[in-house]
Amino acid sequence: MGTESIEDDEQLRRMKLEVALEVKSLRRIISAYLNYPEAAEEAVKRNERSFERLPPAHKALLCHLPSKFQKLRWCIPKNSFFIFEMLKMFEPPLDMSQDIDICEHELQSDVSDSHLLPGQRNLGPSELPSEDGRVPLLKTDGPNLGDVICRFPKEMRNEQSTETNAGSCGIGLEYKGDEGCPNNEATCSALGCTGNVMSSPPDWLDPSLQLHVPLVDVDKVRCIIRNIVRDWASEGQKERDQCYKPILEELQNLFPHRSKESPPTCLVPGAGLGRLALEISCLGFICQGNEFSYYMMICSSFILNHAQTAEEWTIYPWIHSNCNSLSDNDQLRPVAIPDIHPATAGTTEGFSMCGGDFVEVYSDPNQVGAWDAVVTCFFLDTAHNIVEYIDIISRILKDGGVWINLGPLLYHFADMYGQEDEMSVELSLEDVKKVALHYGFEFEQSSTIETTYTTNPRSMMQVSIASV
């Protein structure tokens, strides 16, 4: 066998390994969503076991708790229904039915031969990308709010659960006894028993293809549910006013004469569930949101592309937080989403969401000088190397372009104990400003505000974060 043939075979083998790794990673995320009802039920059972250990006299004082546990069970399948409807509309960019039964030593040798940091993995496309390197993430026959696109980075770190659990919020809920609640039964699975008629799920949601995932992965699902309230519920308006409103006002001031024929361009790295990017687009900008997390991307695609009306779905996002509740009804109250119909919100043509690592996607030479504005909101501290973020932002802005930043410096990788080589460059605000000046930025305005993050306004504890 010739040398060229051997090299071709090796390249094909590595491509298959990379694709298998990505399929396995995406299955793990989907499995985390599908494991939500089981994990939520186990949490209720844990509460019940604690209650049963109480002395009889203490039980008598808290005799309402078994009824509360049943109400929690009644809420779980409501959340599960939303999750499963969301997954049914997701079109994976990979063949999820392919065999990923690869020898462990093959995977390890493949990773050891590459130059990845611990926790990173190579990604391989399942289909040839378009000329701009992007492949479709979601296609829909319904109202499509711009293109939702996904560009696969060459290297992507494993997602970490970095969201702050700072409380909950919602609207009132009244119960009449246990009406409508199951009687001491395990929660209904996401595949049925919700009172809603479901269409057939896609083949790749077959239970035989799902993985057992650790509870930390399901915790990310709970974080997504809280983030939905922040971005897409009336109850999140206070936080949006704290975080998004100053950014929107500044864009209005900096670009007062926006042309419909040639709108200014704005990039929003770390766009999360897409609300800020949508609001910027509605101001008359060609706006693109960029998001790394598949947990976020799957959910934002569903809300942006498949919501038919405002307040179409009802979720119970606070049932998993037993701490600092003023009352059980506060914890059990429903939240209607989305608060607006995204497809009729008045976005500018060209609104899009791009999935992928910010560094990998926007280091592309085609991105140099492409943007009139870059908006970073709760994003800078997600960097392994914050200097690299600022460097890229400086390069992709047009001459005279504007960078607007708001958010804390919590540094998501600062406390990754047990991962000795996990890179985390943690600078003070003073040093961040020095770096920005080095890359040619001039500070026109700077101020500090206090804001919350996925916080319940009715909670006994309010956690505020200083943002600049």
Side-chain angles (χ1 to χ4, degrees), residues 437-461:
L437 289 171
H438 170 79
Y439 283 103
F441 288 102
E442 298 177 359
F443 289 92
E444 295 186 359
Q445 184 177 335
S446 180
S447 62
T448 300
I449 65 171
E450 286 192 0
T451 182
T452 55
Y453 192 84
T454 65
T455 297
N456 175 10
R458 303 186 194 180
S459 173
M460 292 170 61
M461 182 176 72

Side-chain angles (χ1 to χ4, degrees), residues 13-25 99-114 116 120-122:
R13 184 191 71 85
R14 290 179 67 89
M15 176 66 77
K16 289 181 178 179
L17 287 173
E18 290 174 350
V19 171
L21 282 170
E22 175 61 4
V23 170
K24 186 174 183 179
S25 175
D99 184 17
I100 60 169
D101 187 17
I102 301 174
C103 295
E104 194 66 28
H105 73 274
E106 258 193 303
L107 289 174
Q108 291 176 352
S109 64
D110 181 74
V111 172
S112 65
D113 289 341
S114 64
L116 299 182
Q120 292 181 315
R121 66 185 189 278
N122 278 325

Side-chain angles (χ1 to χ4, degrees), residues 340-409:
I340 62 172
H341 182 212
T344 57
T347 56
T348 302
E349 185 177 356
F351 173 55
S352 63
M353 292 285 285
C354 177
D357 178 78
F358 170 72
V359 172
E360 181 64 32
V361 175
Y362 297 95
S363 292
D364 191 304
N366 292 329
Q367 292 289 330
V368 174
W371 302 95
D372 293 295
V374 173
V375 167
T376 51
C377 183
F378 281 76
F379 174 72
L380 277 189
D381 57 359
T382 67
H384 285 281
N385 177 4
I386 191 172
V387 179
E388 186 175 38
Y389 272 19
I390 297 172
D391 180 13
I392 293 173
I393 292 170
S394 71
R395 283 191 276 119
I396 65 178
L397 278 170
K398 297 178 181 179
D399 291 340
V402 176
W403 172 26
I404 301 174
N405 175 69
L406 186 147
L409 294 175

Side-chain angles (χ1 to χ4, degrees), residues 209-440:
L209 297 177
Q210 307 314 315
L211 305 174
H212 176 74
V213 297
L215 287 177
V216 66
D217 285 15
V218 184
D219 283 340
K220 296 174 187 177
V221 175
R222 295 168 181 163
C223 288
I224 292 296
I225 294 175
R226 291 197 299 272
N227 273 271
I228 293 174
V229 177
R230 183 176 190 258
D231 262 20
W232 294 107
S234 297
E235 288 73 12
Q237 188 64 53
K238 179 180 178 181
E239 285 194 13
R240 293 196 296 274
D241 285 346
Q242 291 173 334
C243 301
Y244 300 166
K245 189 175 180 179
I247 293 172
L248 298 173
E249 290 176 346
E250 193 64 26
L251 284 172
Q252 292 263 42
N253 294 333
L254 292 169
F255 298 88
H257 306 297
R258 296 181 294 281
S259 167
K260 291 184 179 180
E261 290 72 29
S262 182
T265 58
C266 181
L267 174 67
V268 184
L273 296 182
R275 181 59 177 265
L276 177 58
L278 178 138
E279 297 283 0
I280 292 173
S281 178
C282 290
L283 290 181
F285 289 79
I286 295 176
C287 186
Q288 181 173 98
N290 163 241
E291 177 54 46
F292 170 79
S293 170
Y294 249 128
Y295 287 94
M296 292 280 191
M297 288 157 55
I298 292 172
C299 187
S300 64
S301 296
F302 182 56
I303 294 175
L304 288 170
N305 285 329
H306 295 282
Q308 300 299 314
T309 63
E311 300 187 346
E312 182 174 355
W313 303 291
T314 299
I315 59 175
Y316 296 82
W318 317 122
I319 60 174
H320 308 295
S321 179
N322 292 315
C323 301
N324 292 307
S325 293
L326 290 174
S327 71
D328 289 346
N329 276 349
D330 279 345
Q331 184 184 2
L332 293 161
R333 65 187 183 269
V335 173
I337 58 170
D339 62 312
I340 62 172
H341 182 212
T344 57
T347 56
T348 302
E349 185 177 356
F351 173 55
S352 63
M353 292 285 285
C354 177
D357 178 78
F358 170 72
V359 172
E360 181 64 32
V361 175
Y362 297 95
S363 292
D364 191 304
N366 292 329
Q367 292 289 330
V368 174
W371 302 95
D372 293 295
V374 173
V375 167
T376 51
C377 183
F378 281 76
F379 174 72
L380 277 189
D381 57 359
T382 67
H384 285 281
N385 177 4
I386 191 172
V387 179
E388 186 175 38
Y389 272 19
I390 297 172
D391 180 13
I392 293 173
I393 292 170
S394 71
R395 283 191 276 119
I396 65 178
L397 278 170
K398 297 178 181 179
D399 291 340
V402 176
W403 172 26
I404 301 174
N405 175 69
L406 186 147
L409 294 175
L410 291 174
Y411 294 111
H412 292 202
F413 296 95
D415 299 320
M416 292 294 133
Y417 301 115
Q419 301 184 36
E420 295 180 3
D421 295 326
E422 188 71 71
M423 183 179 183
S424 182
V425 178
E426 300 143 22
L427 303 183
S428 67
L429 177 59
E430 182 180 6
D431 282 341
V432 170
K433 290 182 176 181
K434 287 180 180 178
V435 172
L437 289 171
H438 170 79
Y439 283 103

Side-chain angles (χ1 to χ4, degrees), residues 95-228:
D95 179 6
M96 300 300 292
S97 64
Q98 63 183 287
D99 184 17
I100 60 169
D101 187 17
I102 301 174
C103 295
E104 194 66 28
H105 73 274
E106 258 193 303
L107 289 174
Q108 291 176 352
S109 64
D110 181 74
V111 172
S112 65
D113 289 341
S114 64
H115 302 287
L116 299 182
L117 294 172
Q120 292 181 315
R121 66 185 189 278
N122 278 325
L123 300 179
S126 63
E127 57 183 344
L128 291 176
S130 59
E131 291 183 0
D132 64 358
R134 297 166 179 167
V135 295
L137 172 66
L138 181 65
K139 302 172 184 176
T140 173
D141 295 329
N144 193 308
L145 196 60
D147 297 324
V148 181
I149 52 182
C150 177
R151 176 171 180 163
F152 290 105
K154 295 176 182 177
E155 297 180 358
M156 183 182 290
R157 63 181 180 263
N158 286 328
E159 297 181 22
Q160 303 293 335
S161 182
T162 55
E163 294 90 339
T164 303
N165 183 0
S168 49
C169 59
I171 57 177
L173 171 66
E174 294 183 1
Y175 283 94
K176 297 179 180 179
D178 290 333
E179 183 180 350
C181 300
N183 295 318
N184 291 321
E185 297 176 358
T187 184
C188 305
S189 77
L191 303 181
C193 213
T194 63
N196 300 85
V197 178
M198 295 188 184
S199 58
S200 299
D203 293 340
W204 55 267
L205 280 179
D206 189 295
S208 65
L209 297 177
Q210 307 314 315
L211 305 174
H212 176 74
V213 297
L215 287 177
V216 66
D217 285 15
V218 184
D219 283 340
K220 296 174 187 177
V221 175
R222 295 168 181 163
C223 288
I224 292 296
I225 294 175
R226 291 197 299 272
N227 273 271
I228 293 174

